Amino acid sequence: MRVLLVEDDAGVADALAEALQTRGHTVSHAIRGSDALHRHRAADVILLDLNLPDMNGLDVLRKVRQVSPVPVLVLTASGDERSVVRGLRLGADDYLTKPIRLAELLARMDAVVRRAAVSAAPQDGVVRIEDVEIDLGARRVLVGGNDVGLTAKEFAVLAVLAARPGTAVSRQQLMDEVWGDAYLAVSRSLDVHLTQLRAKLDRPGLLTTIRGFGYRLGRD
């Protein structure tokens, strides 16, 4: 895929670019946020550092999101949880904490690009993650070939996550789509449904919590 790497640290950029090119990706490197804004349309995925010399990476993300759905992976310093949450709220598809582990980077790139390719799972389609099969049309879930009985709300929560496999979904978005309004929904109710859903799926680690933001269906 065509990767736009927005990173002002030459050492980090060179190492990532070489590793990605070795695996068949085409890498374009931008040091400044303004350059990224001019070149983002030629990319299949953007790897965006938040600390840039001319502008904050979050401002770059906000401007890109105003005109393009291109997948964006935010690169952030260890422990910078506030920036991660802000980035996800502004429309980042996922994030990685430095130092970057190549295997994790490749997996997350694949996940966000897959999501962009399908845009969202069709309402009557079937989503398969490992041995979990989610039939959105029939409203049925199979785990290891066995039918799992979900309540209407449990299925609705799972369907929102299944429409974006491998991608972070905020609590607000879940409550908006399942209850109709995040402000009217009871946050505790979402927690209860997620706990029950995890127990019924019985696949530890498949439905993960992103602290301070929301949830992801699919392993890292």
Side-chain angles (χ1 to χ4, degrees), residues 2-220:
R2 299 171 300 171
V3 180
L4 175 58
L5 174 59
V6 189
E7 168 65 68
D8 69 331
D9 185 315
V12 172
D14 289 346
L16 282 177
E18 181 178 356
L20 291 170
Q21 288 166 349
T22 298
R23 284 155 180 80
H25 299 296
T26 301
V27 181
S28 175
H29 177 214
I31 296 175
R32 301 168 62 85
S34 55
D35 294 334
L37 293 175
H38 285 105
R39 296 159 57 184
H40 72 271
R41 294 187 187 280
D44 297 314
V45 62
I46 297 174
L47 305 181
L48 177 63
D49 182 40
L50 296 185
N51 297 312
L52 301 173
D54 61 333
M55 60 194 302
N56 190 298
L58 293 174
D59 291 330
V60 175
L61 173 61
R62 179 176 53 80
K63 291 177 182 295
V64 167
R65 273 293 165 266
Q66 290 174 350
V67 297
S68 172
V70 61
V72 177
L73 277 163
V74 165
L75 309 181
T76 182
S78 177
D80 192 6
E81 185 176 299
R82 180 176 298 180
S83 293
V84 167
V85 173
R86 286 184 62 198
L88 292 169
R89 292 193 188 285
L90 285 171
D93 294 87
D94 211 334
Y95 69 94
L96 283 165
T97 300
K98 295 179 179 179
I100 304 300
R101 293 178 296 177
L102 182 60
E104 182 180 10
L105 171 61
L106 294 170
R108 291 186 185 270
M109 284 171 54
D110 286 343
V112 299
V113 170
R114 273 200 312 272
R115 179 211 173 186
V118 299
S119 184
Q123 293 184 352
D124 60 349
V126 177
V127 177
R128 294 180 179 84
I129 302 175
E130 297 180 6
D131 66 343
V132 177
E133 182 176 299
I134 305 160
D135 190 326
L136 299 174
R139 299 181 66 82
R140 183 177 67 176
V141 178
L142 301 178
V143 178
N146 299 313
D147 199 336
V148 177
L150 300 183
T151 67
K153 275 289 191 289
E154 288 166 0
F155 184 87
V157 170
L158 182 60
V160 173
L161 296 168
R164 307 158 180 84
T167 301
V169 179
S170 72
R171 288 180 64 89
Q172 286 80 0
Q173 186 170 355
L174 267 172
M175 290 189 288
D176 276 341
E177 295 195 30
V178 175
W179 280 270
D181 190 332
Y183 291 99
L184 297 179
V186 178
S187 182
R188 175 59 182 160
S189 180
L190 174 60
D191 295 332
V192 170
H193 287 299
L194 283 162
T195 298
Q196 294 172 338
L197 185 56
R198 285 189 171 109
K200 290 182 178 181
L201 292 177
D202 193 24
R203 291 296 181 270
L206 192 64
L207 201 172
T208 58
T209 298
I210 300 174
R211 185 181 174 189
F213 181 74
Y215 308 92
R216 177 193 295 113
L217 182 64
R219 301 186 195 280
D220 292 347

